[in-house]
């Protein structure tokens, strides 16, 4: 009997231990990735393959670039974690780590170890989301993003810290903005306005009304671009949406190249703007520049700038849309996106600023050669075609930001 | 030679060509009559301006003998005038 009791006690002891072990939930790494995404491929080779060999960790993979269902699920997961968008997207318990580089690799490994050691703090959030349960994130790694940036930050003497990864997106903002700016659609309005203002022979009024026109135009363009970016961000992981933008860019690229080839041997010069539209805008400009009340003149010029830019946006919708997608695919949101959109708009308006500045200085109006427009079609077409193809077939190449 | 010059204040190519045409006026015996597309509508109407500006219409008396359309270099303009003469 005593022997039996001893066996029972030993069994109970081990059973309790067994129960205790089983109570420990296995930590799972959810790896949302895309086939063709180089950072995902790097993570698979450098980290995922090793983790899959381990018994104490479970790896669950979701391909999101070619699988609509998985893509939609990632959108749900990202909405719960309220992080920036993009892949590779790694989830461990309450922690989400976006992107892959040396620092993120370290963070993923650290998070796995953390949840293994503090199993009471671990819960399978992705599973809960999948089950349709409402989850409130309690993230222990909320400041991971700041740490990852340190990898690519260099210190330049006298200037300070500079993040190298920003160069590529910044260059794209300058180049695409500049090419977009030589689109002649809205330039004719500025030239007419400057001529009308010069006619007033009042430099102060010219500076005031001209600056208001330019600033309002820039602001409208910026707001439209920023709105696009936010729309794109909300659906950026959708393959369908990215493909649609890619197809649009290819179509617009081909159209621009066709316009260049068609017009390259034709006369350079100004296209005669539709008479009705031209007369309406000209009469508005005349009315507002000669308006005695300065407030009405300012409001009128602002309204003119808004209406012209909204209508003329159709003329150059392609490049800002593709640039917004470029920001989205690089996970650039918030203040960073504001800065890049501002860089784009400043370079977009550079030709306008130059024309206005010279007019203020000399009280004479100058024009840029229309030959530039021809080449803006060529360069713009090549950029759009290239970005369109990359967006559809190799988006990883334009993911500068990881 | 009489030349009808049709331009517009909003047209950048016209601004460039206005300056080049002043050079031409120094070197050639041309009588230029300038019209603005928006402010001289009645006069411009009879010349059937197409889709591009500026337009230079060369006349021998009242008869049109040539038409130069768009932005051209100074050399191109000179060559065109010499061909007409």
């Amino acid at each position: 009997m005593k022997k039996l009791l001893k066996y029972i006690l030993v069994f109970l002891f081990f059973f309790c231990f067994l129960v205790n072990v089983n109570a420990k939930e296995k930590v799972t790494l959810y790896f949302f990735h895309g086939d063709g995404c180089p950072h995902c491929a790097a993570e698979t080779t450098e980290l995922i393959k090793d983790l899959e060999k381990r018994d104490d960790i479970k790896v669950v993979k979701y391909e999101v670039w070619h699988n609509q269902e998985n893509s939609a699920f990632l959108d749900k997961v990202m909405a719960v974690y309220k992080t920036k968008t993009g892949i590779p997207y790694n989830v461990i318990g309450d922690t989400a780590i976006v992107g892959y580089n040396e620092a993120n690799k370290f963070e993923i490994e650290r998070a796995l170890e953390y949840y293994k050691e503090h199993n009471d703090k671990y819960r399978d959030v992705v599973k809960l989301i999948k089950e349709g349960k409402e989850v409130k994130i309690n993230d222990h790694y909320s400041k991971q993003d700041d740490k990852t940036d340190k990898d690519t930050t260099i210190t330049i003497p006298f200037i300070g810290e500079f993040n190298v990864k920003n160069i590529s997106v910044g260059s794209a903002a300058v180049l695409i903005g500049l090419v977009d700016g030589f689109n002649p659609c809205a330039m004719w309005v500025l030239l007419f306005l400057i001529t009308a203002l010069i006619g007033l022979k009042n430099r102060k009024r010219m500076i005031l009304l001209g600056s208001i026109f330019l600033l309002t135009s820039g602001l409208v363009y910026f707001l439209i671009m920023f709105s696009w970016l936010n729309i794109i961000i909300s659906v950026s992981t959708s393959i369908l949406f990215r493909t649609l933008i890619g197809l649009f860019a290819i179509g617009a690229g081909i159209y621009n190249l066709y316009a260049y080839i068609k017009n390259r041997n034709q006369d350079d010069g100004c296209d005669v703007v539709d008479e009705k539209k031209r007369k309406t805008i000209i009469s508005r400009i005349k009315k507002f520049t000669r308006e005695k009340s300065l407030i009405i003149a300012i409001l009128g010029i602002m309204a003119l700038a808004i209406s012209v830019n909204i209508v003329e946006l159709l003329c150059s919708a392609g490049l800002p849309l593709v640039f917004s997608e470029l920001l989205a695919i690089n996970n650039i949101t918030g203040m960073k996106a504001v800065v890049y959109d501002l860089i784009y708009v400043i370079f977009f308006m550079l030709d306008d600023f130059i024309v206005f500045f010279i007019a203020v200085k000399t009280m004479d109006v100058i024009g840029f050669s229309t030959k530039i427009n021809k080449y803006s079609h060529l360069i713009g077409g090549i950029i759009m075609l290239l970005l369109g193809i990359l967006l559809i077939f190799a988006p990883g190449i334009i993911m500068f930001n990881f | 030679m009489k030349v009808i010059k049709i331009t517009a204040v909003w047209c950048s190519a016209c601004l460039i060509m206005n300056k080049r045409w002043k050079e031409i006026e120094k070197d050639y015996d041309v009588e230029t009559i300038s019209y603005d597309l928006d402010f001289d509508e009645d006069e411009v109407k009879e010349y059937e301006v197409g889709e591009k500006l500026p337009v230079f219409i060369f006349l021998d008396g009242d008869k049109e003998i040539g038409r130069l359309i768009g932005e051209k270099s100074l050399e191109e303009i000179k060559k065109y005038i010499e061909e007409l003469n």
Side-chain angles (χ1 to χ4, degrees), chain A residues 142-162:
Chain A
S142 58
K143 288 178 183 172
Q144 298 307 306
D145 293 347
D146 300 337
K147 290 172 191 168
T148 59
D149 275 358
K150 282 176 186 165
D151 258 10
T152 49
T153 300
I154 54 168
T155 305
I156 303 169
F158 308 111
I159 294 174
E161 284 198 338
F162 184 77

Side-chain angles (χ1 to χ4, degrees), chain B residues 55-73:
Chain B
V55 177
F56 292 80
I57 301 164
F58 297 84
L59 301 173
D60 183 8
D62 286 336
K63 192 186 162 204
E64 182 176 334
I65 54 166
R67 193 176 274 228
L68 202 62
I69 300 167
E71 189 184 324
K72 304 284 175 199
S73 68

Side-chain angles (χ1 to χ4, degrees), chain A residues 266-282:
Chain A
Q266 286 188 4
D267 298 317
D268 291 310
C270 301
D271 289 323
V272 175
V273 184
D274 169 68
E275 195 179 347
K276 197 180 163 195
K277 180 177 153 189
R278 199 173 73 228
K279 280 185 175 167
T280 311
I281 293 177
I282 286 174

Side-chain angles (χ1 to χ4, degrees), chain A residues 115-304:
Chain A
Y115 283 116
K116 259 177 65 192
E117 280 172 32
H118 305 85
N119 204 252
D120 54 319
K121 287 182 181 168
Y122 177 76
R123 57 187 180 142
D124 195 336
V125 176
V126 174
K127 196 176 161 193
L128 294 172
I129 297 168
K130 196 142 204 173
E131 286 166 0
K133 289 178 183 159
E134 261 195 40
V135 189
K136 203 179 168 197
I137 296 300
N138 181 18
D139 188 9
H140 306 278
Y141 292 86
S142 58
K143 288 178 183 172
Q144 298 307 306
D145 293 347
D146 300 337
K147 290 172 191 168
T148 59
D149 275 358
K150 282 176 186 165
D151 258 10
T152 49
T153 300
I154 54 168
T155 305
I156 303 169
F158 308 111
I159 294 174
E161 284 198 338
F162 184 77
N163 200 336
V164 179
K165 74 183 181 183
N166 292 336
I167 295 173
S168 307
V169 185
S171 310
V174 171
L175 177 70
I176 303 176
L178 212 53
V179 172
D180 192 14
F182 279 105
N183 182 327
C185 298
M187 177 56 104
W188 77 271
V189 181
L190 177 69
L191 288 178
F192 193 91
L193 175 70
I194 290 174
T195 309
L197 292 170
I198 289 172
L200 297 175
K201 292 187 171 70
N202 183 338
R203 200 187 291 262
K204 273 186 187 168
R205 194 174 169 95
M206 180 183 174
I207 294 171
L208 180 71
L209 294 182
S211 305
I212 284 169
F213 180 82
L214 287 179
L215 289 175
T216 312
S217 300
L219 187 67
V220 170
Y221 213 77
F222 168 78
L223 288 175
I224 293 170
M225 282 185 69
F226 199 63
S227 310
W228 270 344
L229 176 65
N230 285 311
I231 293 167
I232 291 170
I233 284 168
S234 62
V235 281
S236 71
T237 51
S238 154
I239 306 148
L240 183 69
F241 192 77
R242 201 184 63 238
T243 309
L244 280 176
I245 292 183
L247 285 173
F248 171 79
I250 290 172
I254 290 171
Y255 173 78
N256 272 285
L257 289 177
Y258 169 74
Y260 168 74
I261 292 164
K262 192 183 154 201
N263 296 322
R264 90 192 139 143
N265 293 322
Q266 286 188 4
D267 298 317
D268 291 310
C270 301
D271 289 323
V272 175
V273 184
D274 169 68
E275 195 179 347
K276 197 180 163 195
K277 180 177 153 189
R278 199 173 73 228
K279 280 185 175 167
T280 311
I281 293 177
I282 286 174
S283 72
R284 275 193 213 163
I285 291 176
K286 279 185 189 169
K287 186 184 164 197
F288 294 128
T289 49
R290 291 171 189 167
E291 173 61 51
K292 281 182 184 167
S293 160
L294 193 61
I295 293 168
I296 295 174
I298 289 170
L299 292 174
I301 291 294
M302 284 172 82
L304 179 78

Side-chain angles (χ1 to χ4, degrees), chain A residues 187-188 191-192 195 267-273 275 278-279 282 286 364-371, chain B residues 9-16 19 37-39 41 49-54 69-73 76:
Chain A
M187 177 56 104
W188 77 271
L191 288 178
F192 193 91
T195 309
D267 298 317
D268 291 310
C270 301
D271 289 323
V272 175
V273 184
E275 195 179 347
R278 199 173 73 228
K279 280 185 175 167
I282 286 174
K286 279 185 189 169
D364 191 15
V365 61
I366 62 134
F368 284 107
S369 170
T370 42
K371 289 180 197 298
Chain B
V9 292
W10 46 263
C11 162
S12 53
C14 301
L15 297 167
I16 289 170
K19 283 185 181 139
L37 185 74
D38 300 298
F39 303 118
E41 278 180 280
V49 175
E51 292 176 348
K52 291 271 181 193
L53 279 181
I69 300 167
E71 189 184 324
K72 304 284 175 199
S73 68
E76 283 174 314

Side-chain angles (χ1 to χ4, degrees), chain B residues 11-29:
Chain B
C11 162
S12 53
C14 301
L15 297 167
I16 289 170
M17 285 296 278
N18 279 340
K19 283 185 181 139
R20 285 180 191 159
W21 192 253
K22 277 180 187 161
E23 296 293 315
I24 294 292
E25 283 175 324
K26 284 180 198 165
D27 297 339
Y28 293 88
D29 183 21

Side-chain angles (χ1 to χ4, degrees), chain A residues 2-22:
Chain A
K2 267 185 181 176
K3 210 173 183 180
L4 185 67
L5 201 66
K6 210 162 96 184
Y7 281 128
I8 289 169
L9 279 172
V10 169
F11 174 77
L12 279 175
F13 174 77
F14 279 106
F15 182 76
C16 290
F17 183 72
L18 206 68
V19 167
N20 193 28
V21 167
N22 280 343

